[in-house]
């Protein structure tokens, strides 16, 4: 009993936390790259986009999980698409009604969540195989990971492009805005630098773990140094 | 018959869930559409109020006024008579649209009560380049229209933007967007003015 309980909660936390860091859709898996490039000019629209994706991801994961035993293999993609499109439309209407300014800034990118591959990927990889609770947690984790990635990217871009973060001025008055950061080139450069930074950080973290295996290597490499020199 | 049964066997879930999802969207739309329409109207009114201080009442103009777009298409112009709280005519406002550098531009224009002077314009929707073309929303560019005569406008590369005349000074680095706004204003303003004078809604400017 105790062990099965433990493994179940382990499964839940695994489903929840995988998307936030280890399998972060934007920084680790590099899927669904359109919104991170297109809507990260400022933190507010990026956050709105992230929250919309969390909503759609949780709802579609739940529905797909509930009907996973009824799915016909050759009709499953069309079922996923219909489910996702429904919740995206609901979300789009909701934004138009309650956050009209955000809806205007995001424009076509809200309806485009339908073709965001993170959502269809989670429906295929998780929700169509796992129970409702795991699917909801997985959707939440992946969505939060995606939202965090959008917020990091947009904070850097907004700071350098306008000197504001979340519309609050933070830079000294003498700061000259970098207009390029507001344009597509700013998105690509920021994304590339952040991905590079994350690669450097994760490499440093994994080296100590491999030390026992890597330990014999340095002595072997050291004698070579004088030889090549 | 066997084919139909096979079809239903395979796709009943898709048919049933499509029906449920359709119902869900219809319900959401029914619940929110009123608010969405209100938001659109509120935005238009807010922008017009900023252009015509004191504006309270927006009365749609019933008369059939048609605008011919540069591509030859005709459409009915959306014109409002703008009144103050005391039912006094402050001016007219109308929607105008056209193609900018990166997509459609939608404007709202306000003119004074005799259609002699432009009171100003504001951008309802556009997708111009941030930092360059979207400066059509900036005060520097918009102030040039306030007080300009309601006639054919011209775009100039250099000049004094502080003078209210038919010459509009372009934004550096955004000539196409600047020109697009001038073209949209010219297309709608002169045609609407002419037809409103014909229909007697406003004086012909000679009295």
């Amino acid at each position: 009993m105790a062990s099965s309980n433990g493994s179940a909660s382990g499964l839940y936390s695994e489903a929840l936390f995988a998307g936030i860091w280890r399998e972060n859709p934007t920084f680790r898996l590099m899927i669904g790259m359109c919104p991170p490039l297109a809507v990260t000019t400022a933190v507010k629209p990026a956050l709105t986009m992230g929250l919309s994706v969390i909503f759609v991801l949780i709802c579609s994961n739940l529905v797909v999980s509930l009907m996973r035993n009824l799915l016909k293999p050759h009709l499953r993609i069309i079922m996923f698409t219909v489910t996702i499109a429904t919740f995206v439309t609901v979300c789009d209407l909701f934004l138009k009604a309650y956050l009209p300014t955000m809806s205007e800034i995001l424009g076509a990118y809200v309806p485009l969540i339908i073709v965001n591959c993170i959502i269809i990927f989670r429906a295929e990889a998780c929700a169509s195989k796992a129970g409702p609770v795991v699917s909801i947690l997985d959707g939440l984790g992946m969505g939060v990971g995606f939202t965090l990635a959008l917020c990091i990217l947009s904070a850097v871009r907004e700071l350098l492009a306008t000197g504001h973060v979340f519309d609050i001025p933070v830079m000294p008055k003498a700061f000259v805005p970098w207009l390029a950061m507001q344009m597509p080139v700013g998105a690509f450069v920021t994304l590339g630098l952040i991905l590079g930074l994350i690669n450097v950080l994760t490499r440093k973290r994994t080296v100590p773990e491999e030390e026992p295996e890597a330990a014999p290597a340095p002595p072997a490499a050291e004698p070579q140094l004088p030889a090549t020199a | 018959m066997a084919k139909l049964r096979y079809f239903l066997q395979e796709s009943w879930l898709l048919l049933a869930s499509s029906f449920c999802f359709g119902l869900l969207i219809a319900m959401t739309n029914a619940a929110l559409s009123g608010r969405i329409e209100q938001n659109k109207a509120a935005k238009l009114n807010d922008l017009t109020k900023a252009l015509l201080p004191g504006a309270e009442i927006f009365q749609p103009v019933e008369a059939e006024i048609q605008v011919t777009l540069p591509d030859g298409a005709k459409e009915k112009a959306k014109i409002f008579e703008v009144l103050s709280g005391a039912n006094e005519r402050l001016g007219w406002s109308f929607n105008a649209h056209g193609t900018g550098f990166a997509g459609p531009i939608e404007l709202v224009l306000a003119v004074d009560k005799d259609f002699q002077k432009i009171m100003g314009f504001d951008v309802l929707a556009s997708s111009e380049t941030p930092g360059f073309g979207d400066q059509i929303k900036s005060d520097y560019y918009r102030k040039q229209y306030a007080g300009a005569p309601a006639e054919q406008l011209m775009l100039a590369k250099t000049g004094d933007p502080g003078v209210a005349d038919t010459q509009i000074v372009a934004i550096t680095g955004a000539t196409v967007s600047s020109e697009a706004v001038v073209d949209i204003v010219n297309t709608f303003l002169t045609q609407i003015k002419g037809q409103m004078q014909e229909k007697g809604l406003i004086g012909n400017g000679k009295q």
Side-chain angles (χ1 to χ4, degrees), chain B residues 23-180:
Chain B
L23 219 57
L24 179 68
I25 293 177
M27 267 157 45
T28 321
N29 188 41
L32 297 176
S33 64
R35 225 191 135 88
I36 294 171
E37 287 306 312
Q38 251 176 24
N39 285 342
K40 274 188 197 157
K43 184 174 183 196
L44 183 64
N45 288 356
D46 280 351
L47 292 181
T48 319
K49 273 179 192 168
L51 298 173
L52 290 167
E56 290 285 334
I57 304 160
F58 301 91
Q59 215 155 38
V61 172
E62 303 290 338
E64 189 75 22
I65 291 176
Q66 281 205 331
V67 175
T68 312
L69 300 176
D71 63 1
K74 279 182 191 212
E75 64 165 42
K76 188 182 184 302
K78 247 201 234 167
I79 308 168
F80 292 91
E81 185 178 359
V82 184
L83 305 168
S84 71
N87 244 353
E88 196 184 338
R89 188 197 289 168
L90 292 169
W92 307 84
S93 77
F94 53 92
N95 294 24
H97 61 89
T99 313
F101 178 71
I105 298 180
E106 264 182 69
L107 306 175
V108 54
L109 256 126
V111 291
D112 70 346
K113 58 181 191 285
D114 303 317
F115 237 99
Q116 296 299 311
K117 265 193 333 196
I118 299 174
M119 299 303 286
F121 81 91
D122 213 327
V123 181
L124 280 175
S126 75
S127 42
E128 300 307 286
T129 323
F132 294 95
D134 79 344
Q135 285 184 54
I136 56 170
K137 299 172 189 165
S138 70
D139 282 346
Y140 163 81
Y141 186 70
R142 290 203 303 123
K143 280 222 174 95
Q144 298 186 50
Y145 289 82
E151 283 157 29
Q152 198 81 19
L153 301 176
M154 272 187 356
L155 192 74
K157 292 246 163 69
T158 54
D160 183 359
V163 182
D165 55 9
T166 53
Q167 211 173 51
I168 303 295
V169 181
I171 303 159
T172 309
T175 313
V176 177
S177 303
S178 312
E179 196 159 20

Side-chain angles (χ1 to χ4, degrees), chain A residues 74-75 79 86 96-97 104, chain B residues 10 14 17 21 35 39 43:
Chain A
H74 63 288
L75 287 176
M79 285 303 307
T86 306
K96 272 185 184 146
E104 233 166 71
Chain B
E10 291 292 307
L14 182 61
S17 55
F21 290 151
R35 225 191 135 88
N39 285 342
K43 184 174 183 196

Side-chain angles (χ1 to χ4, degrees), chain A residues 3 27 29 32 47 51 63 86 94 98 109 138 160 170 185 197:
Chain A
S3 70
F27 290 149
L29 302 181
L47 189 64
L51 294 177
V63 171
T86 306
F94 189 84
Y98 292 98
Y109 292 104
D138 177 84
L160 295 176
V170 288
V185 60
L197 184 72

